[in-house]
């Protein structure tokens, strides 16, 4: 009797599993086909993202494959676990989504949960209307003028970088092999923490809790954090279902406490700095004054902490990865390095915000680095209003739309011989071909393009100038050529243990 009921449970369970598999494979995973759209390969239960979720491939490779499967089509459908989503392949359509019809795609739809995780609610995750207001408030802290003002602090960080390297690398032709990723990570963090938030940490030399907290959020070896990242970005519905928090509790407490201390210190000591934190403090003061007439509420401590957290998160890894990719490409392309060194020498130490912008070859090298290694390999948008494509296809409200920046920038149709590092593609005087609008979008486009673009460009170039002025950069005996990319991160990163050899220049 007992055996019979046990068997019945087993058979029912098996039938349920089989029904579920059949339902997902033949119904859920045929959504796009049923709607007349080409769709990418899928596998249960990951949809089209299995290779990334299981760490077999990097996120840019997975979206590159989806992009290639859609060859000849402006969009291709795919599945993020069980949810149908789209990859847009056509640059003209991208323009329409990012700029012309921004109203229909004004959100990213990434997960945030203000109630249990205040740090997850910021400019990046905020919905359309809130975003517009926040962006309006925050933009002045990243203007050209503000960058000029902050440049001195940036200079101090890159000088420290040069000095730190000089203390490590002995004079002589032998040089020294260094774990370059660690060094650029510290630089990225120093420059953003001291310039944007006003914290002068020197993380090259001592323990740095700010660095530890930032790295905890992006640590590729932390499985739990990796899962939080995946769910927040590609499957926010699942994250919401589990009422998940994105920021580890310890990191959240650390940032809120840090911002609290900075605010109190500045208020009690009458300290005024022209940095991002000051913009927020000034804003609060202005709101306090006009509170009764316009009913606005000042930013809470949590809100100030979440924007600070975002800038550090969005700024340090992109800056550090970009500098690292540049150093690698220049190490394996010695002629380019020499040409760039000559250009840097030609300004004869007069490094200002303006002179950096005028370095033409530097600009070409920088753009080519961003083409080959875009820090954000995909952009995310959520369709918030039904939208009809030029071919009559309806994108329904609620559909996640991915923009495959990496795949576009590596498509030979737009960039012939895409694996070749070729700065001349970006020559203003004699371009080797015309770049198709919206085929090169490393900082995104439209009202949600990177707010820290100027900051990122200036700090990466400055770091590079300080390194190249003092050292020749070469591949080390164990440098992996071609370069390996870190598998588990969302920001495109060189592999963690990348080494390069630095040889001190005679000058
Ligand atoms: C080389 C360095 C950098 C690159 C390549 C980069 C790239 C990007 C990209 C591709 C986006 C998404 C744009 C879109 O969806 O259209 C973005 C957004 C953003 N970035 Fe950057 N970024 C860099 C540096 C920085 C820095 C230094 C900061 C802060 C100081 C920063 C702060 C942000 C913020 C806050 C957003 C969200 C903007 C919004 O939604 O309004 N980024 N960045």
């Amino acid at each position: 009797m007992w055996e019979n009921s046990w068997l019945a449970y087993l058979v029912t369970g098996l039938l349920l599993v089989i029904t579920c598999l059949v339902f997902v494979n033949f119904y859920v995973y045929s959504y796009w086909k049923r709607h007349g759209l080409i769709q990418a390969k899928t596998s249960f239960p990951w949809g089209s993202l299995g290779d990334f979720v299981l760490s077999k491939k990097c996120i840019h490779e997975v979206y590159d494959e989806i992009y290639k499967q859609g060859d000849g089509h402006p969009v291709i459908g795919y599945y993020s676990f069980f949810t149908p989503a789209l990859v847009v392949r056509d640059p003209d359509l991208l323009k329409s989504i990012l700029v012309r019809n921004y109203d229909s795609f004004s959100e990213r739809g990434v997960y945030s949960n203000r109630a249990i995780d205040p740090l997850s609610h910021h400019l990046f995750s905020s919905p359309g209307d809130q975003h517009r207001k926040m962006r309006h408030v925050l933009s002045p802290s990243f203007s050209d003028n503000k960058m000029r003002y902050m440049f001195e602090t940036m200079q101090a960080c890159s000088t420290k970088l040069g000095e730190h390297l000089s203390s490590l690398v002995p004079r002589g032709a032998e040089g020294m092999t260094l774990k370059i990723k660690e060094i650029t990570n510290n630089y990225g963090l120093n420059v953003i923490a001291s310039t944007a938030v006003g914290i002068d940490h020197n993380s090259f030399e001592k323990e740095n809790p700010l660095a530890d907290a930032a790295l905890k959020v992006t640590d590729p070896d932390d499985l739990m954090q990796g899962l939080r990242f995946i769910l927040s970005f590609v499957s926010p519905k699942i994250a919401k279902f589990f009422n998940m928090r994105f920021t580890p509790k310890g990191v959240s407490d650390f940032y809120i406490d840090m911002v609290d201390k900075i605010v109190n210190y500045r208020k009690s000591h009458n300290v005024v700095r022209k940095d991002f934190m000051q913009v927020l403090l000034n804003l609060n003061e202005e709101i306090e004054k006009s509170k009764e007439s316009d009913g606005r509420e000042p930013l809470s401590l949590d809100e100030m902490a979440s924007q600070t957290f975002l800038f550090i998160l969005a700024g340090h890894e992109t800056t550090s990865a970009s500098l690292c990719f540049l150093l690698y490409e220049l190490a394996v392309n010695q002629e380019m390095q020499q040409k760039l060194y000559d250009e840097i020498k030609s300004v004869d130490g007069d490094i200002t915000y303006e002179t950096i912008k005028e370095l033409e070859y530097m600009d070409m090298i920088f753009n080519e680095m961003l083409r080959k290694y875009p820090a954000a390999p995909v952009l995310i948008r959520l369709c918030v209003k039904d939208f009809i494509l030029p071919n009559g296809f309806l994108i329904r409200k609620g559909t996640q739309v991915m923009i495959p920046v990496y795949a576009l920038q590596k498509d030979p149709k737009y960039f012939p011989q895409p694996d070749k590092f070729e700065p001349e593609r970006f020559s203003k005087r004699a371009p080797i071909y015309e770049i198709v609008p919206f085929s090169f979008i490393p900082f995104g486009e439209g009202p949600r393009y990177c707010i820290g673009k100027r900051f990122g460009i200036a700090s990466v170039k400055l770091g590079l100038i300080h390194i190249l002025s003092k050292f020749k950069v070469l591949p080390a005996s164990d440098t992996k050529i071609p370069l390996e990319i870190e598998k588990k991160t969302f920001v495109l990163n060189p592999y963690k243990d990348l080494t390069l050899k630095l040889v001190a220049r005679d000058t």
Side-chain angles (χ1 to χ4, degrees):
M1 174 69 187
W2 185 86
E3 267 181 23
N4 277 352
S5 61
W6 183 85
L7 203 66
Y9 281 132
L10 187 72
V11 172
T12 316
L14 266 174
L15 278 175
L16 265 175
V17 171
I18 292 169
T19 314
C20 181
L21 273 171
V22 171
F23 175 73
V24 172
N25 274 313
F26 290 94
Y27 187 75
V28 177
Y29 288 164
S30 70
Y31 176 87
W32 291 121
K33 253 193 238 164
R34 282 185 280 119
H35 286 78
L37 202 73
I38 179 166
Q39 67 171 50
K41 286 182 203 142
T42 53
S43 66
F44 181 86
W46 323 108
S48 316
L49 305 178
D51 285 345
F52 176 62
V53 180
L54 301 173
S55 296
K56 288 189 196 160
K57 288 188 181 153
C58 313
I59 191 143
H60 68 276
E61 289 175 302
V62 170
Y63 280 97
D64 193 41
E65 278 171 13
I66 298 176
Y67 176 88
K68 283 180 178 142
Q69 289 171 52
D71 193 21
H73 300 262
V75 284
I76 172 168
Y78 76 100
Y79 300 89
S80 178
F81 294 88
F82 306 117
T83 313
L86 290 171
V87 163
V88 178
R89 303 182 71 263
D90 174 56
D92 206 38
L93 189 54
L94 283 180
K95 185 173 179 185
S96 174
I97 286 174
L98 294 173
V99 186
R100 277 193 240 125
N101 293 289
Y102 174 74
D103 273 3
S104 298
F105 300 93
S106 59
E107 297 187 18
R108 290 201 174 88
V110 297
Y111 174 70
S112 78
N113 189 334
R114 201 173 185 174
I116 59 163
D117 181 7
L119 259 58
S120 67
H121 180 74
H122 42 53
L123 193 67
F124 192 87
S125 62
S126 59
D129 225 27
Q130 283 177 31
H131 174 265
R132 196 172 41 77
K133 285 184 200 149
M134 267 190 212
R135 179 111 187 184
H136 180 71
V137 167
L138 299 174
S139 287
S141 44
F142 292 96
S143 67
D144 240 348
N145 261 347
K146 201 49 70 68
M147 288 301 116
R148 237 167 253 126
Y149 182 83
M150 289 179 181
F151 195 71
E152 212 178 289
T153 320
M154 267 188 207
Q155 276 273 33
C157 291
S158 39
T159 305
K160 255 182 218 163
L161 167 68
E163 286 168 2
H164 175 66
L165 292 175
S166 296
S167 73
L168 297 177
V169 181
R171 300 211 71 79
E174 287 268 301
M176 179 142 199
T177 295
L178 296 171
K179 278 196 169 183
I180 208 72
K181 187 90 205 319
E182 255 169 41
I183 289 165
T184 59
N185 261 352
N186 281 333
Y187 172 69
L189 205 63
N190 270 355
V191 81
I192 191 102
S194 55
T195 320
V197 197
I199 302 172
D200 192 12
H201 276 294
N202 186 356
S203 54
F204 293 120
E205 280 148 23
K206 52 183 182 234
E207 300 264 307
N208 185 342
L210 183 71
D212 292 346
L215 297 176
K216 251 186 211 139
V217 181
T218 50
D219 182 1
D221 295 327
D222 183 338
L223 275 182
M224 211 38 223
Q225 191 55 21
L227 189 67
R228 287 190 190 118
F229 244 109
I230 291 175
L231 294 181
S232 301
F233 278 71
V234 299
S235 222
K237 281 184 188 155
I238 300 182
K240 193 170 174 195
F241 179 78
F242 287 111
N243 199 27
M244 194 189 83
R245 58 179 304 142
F246 170 76
T247 327
K249 174 97 173 62
V251 174
S252 182
D253 292 346
F254 172 83
Y255 270 88
I256 293 173
D257 183 55
M258 176 185 82
V259 171
D260 190 27
K261 283 185 180 138
I262 296 174
V263 171
N264 283 329
Y265 179 82
R266 290 198 187 178
K267 280 188 180 161
S268 59
H269 291 77
N270 274 333
V271 174
V272 176
R273 281 188 61 146
K274 285 192 182 169
D275 60 13
F276 164 68
M277 190 63 80
Q278 197 62 45
V279 174
L280 297 186
L281 286 170
N282 293 350
L283 175 78
N284 268 6
E285 214 170 276
E286 181 202 309
I287 294 176
E288 283 290 355
K289 279 184 196 153
S290 61
K291 203 172 162 183
E292 280 179 18
S293 57
D294 61 17
R296 283 188 298 164
E297 283 299 321
L299 295 176
S300 66
L301 179 64
D302 285 357
E303 284 169 327
M304 291 173 87
S306 69
Q307 305 298 355
T308 308
F309 170 69
L310 169 66
F311 287 159
I312 291 182
L313 195 65
H316 91 270
E317 208 182 354
T318 44
T319 302
S320 111
S322 300
L323 182 54
C324 215
F325 283 127
L326 275 169
L327 290 169
Y328 166 83
E329 283 295 345
L330 292 170
V332 295
N333 291 292
Q334 285 296 315
E335 270 176 34
M336 291 178 197
Q337 187 177 155
Q338 185 59 42
K339 194 168 164 187
L340 183 58
Y341 175 68
D342 291 342
E343 187 180 63
I344 294 170
K345 267 193 88 178
S346 72
V347 295
D348 202 19
D350 179 24
I351 306 295
T352 63
Y353 185 58
E354 261 62 43
T355 46
I356 286 198
K357 281 201 211 168
E358 282 156 18
L359 298 176
E360 247 183 85
Y361 193 59
M362 168 72 94
D363 212 43
M364 287 157 61
I365 295 248
F366 189 80
N367 279 333
E368 177 63 348
M369 176 278 297
L370 284 178
R371 180 199 66 81
K372 205 172 161 192
Y373 310 103
V378 278
L379 309 179
I380 310 181
R381 292 295 184 270
L382 181 73
C383 177
V384 292
K385 224 170 21 170
D386 283 1
F387 179 76
I388 299 174
L389 297 180
N391 65 3
F393 183 82
L394 171 72
I395 303 185
R396 286 189 193 282
K397 179 180 169 182
T399 308
Q400 199 179 45
V401 173
M402 302 300 264
I403 290 134
V405 178
Y406 175 89
L408 277 160
Q409 295 181 178
K410 292 294 285 286
D411 187 339
K413 186 167 145 195
Y414 305 117
F415 298 96
Q417 292 187 280
D419 291 329
K420 196 170 165 197
F421 191 78
E422 198 170 15
E424 273 63 34
R425 298 180 207 267
F426 292 95
S427 165
K428 286 198 180 94
R429 290 177 202 207
I432 44 181
Y433 48 76
E434 213 170 294
I435 291 175
V436 174
F438 284 76
S439 63
F440 176 66
I441 44 171
F443 289 101
E445 268 296 348
R448 279 195 180 254
Y449 88 95
C450 175
I451 198 172
K453 179 177 174 180
R454 288 193 185 97
F455 190 107
I457 295 176
S459 55
V460 173
K461 287 184 179 174
L462 203 51
L464 186 63
I465 288 173
H466 279 260
I467 297 176
L468 290 191
S469 321
K470 291 188 166 204
F471 305 97
K472 203 168 182 181
V473 185
L474 299 153
S477 56
D478 58 351
T479 308
K480 291 181 191 163
I481 304 174
L483 183 63
E484 219 172 76
I485 303 290
E486 180 66 54
K487 280 206 169 44
K488 300 175 212 155
T489 54
F490 270 85
V491 168
L492 202 75
N493 263 296
Y495 67 99
K496 211 162 98 185
D497 297 325
L498 169 67
T499 52
L500 290 175
K501 187 165 151 182
L502 262 59
V503 177
R505 292 188 189 269
D506 294 334
T507 51

